[in-house]
Amino acid sequence: MRKLETKEIILATHNEGKLREMRQLMEPFGFKITSAGERRLPEPAEEGTTFEENAYTKAWAAAKTTNMVALSDDSGLSVDALGGAPGVYTADWAEKEDGSGRDFQMAMQKVETALAEKGAVDPAQRKGAFNAVLCLCWPDGHAEYFKGVAPGTLVWPPRGGDGFGYDPVFLPDGHERTFGEMTADEKHSWTMGQATEPLSHRARAFAKLATVLLH
Ligand code: IMP
C-alpha cells in the first residue's frame, strides 16, 4: 500500500454533510484540508455501478485538476429487502423531479414505500447497511480504497434532526437511537486506534485509512 507523504489533502466532495464528517474524522491527523466544493471544481458525473468506481471518479477528478492527493467518499444505503437498493443510487433517489436539488424527506419516503410494497413491517424484514468507500488518489492516478459498513434496521417514521441524508431512518445495530438522533461524535464513535470499533460506516472506513495516515 502506498504511503501518504503529504500533509495537504483535498477532500473530493461537494456534499456539505459528508464534508463536515470527513473534516471531523481527519482532524486528529493535522492535515491542511480544502474541498472540491470550496475550490469550485466541477462535480464529475457518477456513472459507475460500484461505490469503488464512483469514489475513484471523484478522487481522480480532484487529484488531476489540483495536482494534490485527493480523498473522496462514495457511500449509500443498501436495504436487504430491496435487493440492495438504493445502493450506489442513494443520492439519486433524493433528486427532485424538477431538477431543483435533493429532497431527503422524499427519498426516505421512497424507501419506506418500497418496503411497504414488500410487506416489510417487522424489524427483521427491514435490515440494511450504510456503506462508505473512501478513495485516496494521487495525481499520477494511483488509488487506494478503504471500505466501511454499518449494519442496521430501517425505521419509520424518521427520528431526529441531526446528521444528514437518510440518518433519521437508520437505526444502527446494538443502539436505540437513529443516526439522526445522535451527535456527530456518537455517530462516528471515532476512537483513533483504540480497541472499540467505530460506529458509522464512514468512521469504520476512516479507521482503515488511519493505518496509512499514521504509519
Ligand atoms: P454519493 O456518495 O455522492 O453517491 O451520495 C451518497 C448518498 O448516501 C448521500 O447523498 C446521502 O444521502 C447518503 N449517505 C451517505 N452517507 C450517509 C450518512 O452517513 N448518513 C445519511 N445518509 C448518508
Side-chain angles (χ1 to χ4, degrees):
M1 181 164 300
R2 192 186 281 188
K3 298 290 174 224
L4 190 58
E5 278 161 6
T6 172
K7 276 281 174 192
E8 206 171 345
I9 209 160
I10 177 148
L11 298 182
T13 183
H14 291 72
N15 178 319
E16 290 297 326
K18 272 191 200 173
L19 180 61
R20 189 170 60 241
E21 293 196 357
M22 289 169 86
R23 274 193 196 282
Q24 285 163 350
L25 292 163
M26 288 293 281
E27 227 163 43
F29 302 105
F31 278 83
K32 181 165 181 255
I33 292 167
T34 52
S35 80
E38 287 158 358
R39 286 179 172 237
R40 307 211 180 285
L41 301 184
E43 204 172 348
E46 295 178 35
E47 288 165 348
T49 54
T50 63
F51 295 117
E52 283 79 2
E53 280 177 74
N54 287 336
Y56 186 79
T57 299
K58 290 183 272 195
W60 170 229
K64 77 168 181 234
T65 313
T66 58
N67 208 32
M68 290 166 69
V69 177
L71 179 67
S72 67
D73 162 306
D74 199 68
S75 41
L77 178 68
S78 306
V79 182
D80 297 354
L82 306 181
V88 289
Y89 306 106
T90 300
D92 298 342
W93 279 36
E95 289 297 339
K96 292 195 230 169
E97 275 178 23
D98 63 7
S100 65
R102 289 182 180 149
D103 177 348
F104 285 97
Q105 290 300 329
M106 176 191 81
M108 290 187 284
Q109 180 67 66
K110 275 190 198 169
V111 171
E112 183 54 25
T113 302
L115 278 170
E117 279 166 7
K118 298 271 179 201
V121 278
D122 294 339
Q125 300 170 294
R126 299 169 61 90
K127 302 300 292 180
F130 261 128
N131 307 274
V133 171
L134 298 173
C135 174
L136 195 58
C137 184
W138 281 255
D140 67 357
H142 178 82
E144 301 283 357
Y145 298 89
F146 310 90
K147 181 161 189 171
V149 179
T153 304
L154 277 298
V155 298
W156 196 259
R159 287 163 28 190
D162 292 328
F164 71 102
Y166 296 70
D167 276 342
V169 286
F170 190 78
L171 185 68
D173 279 356
H175 291 259
E176 287 177 1
R177 282 175 301 138
T178 66
F179 275 168
E181 295 173 300
M182 293 183 180
T183 64
D185 281 347
E186 287 174 298
K187 178 178 168 187
H188 304 314
S189 310
W190 179 231
T191 50
M192 270 280 285
Q194 291 167 29
T196 2
E197 199 178 12
L199 182 57
S200 78
H201 47 310
R202 190 160 293 107
R204 287 179 185 196
F206 261 88
K208 294 182 185 164
L209 171 71
T211 59
V212 171
L213 297 182
L214 292 175
H215 296 104

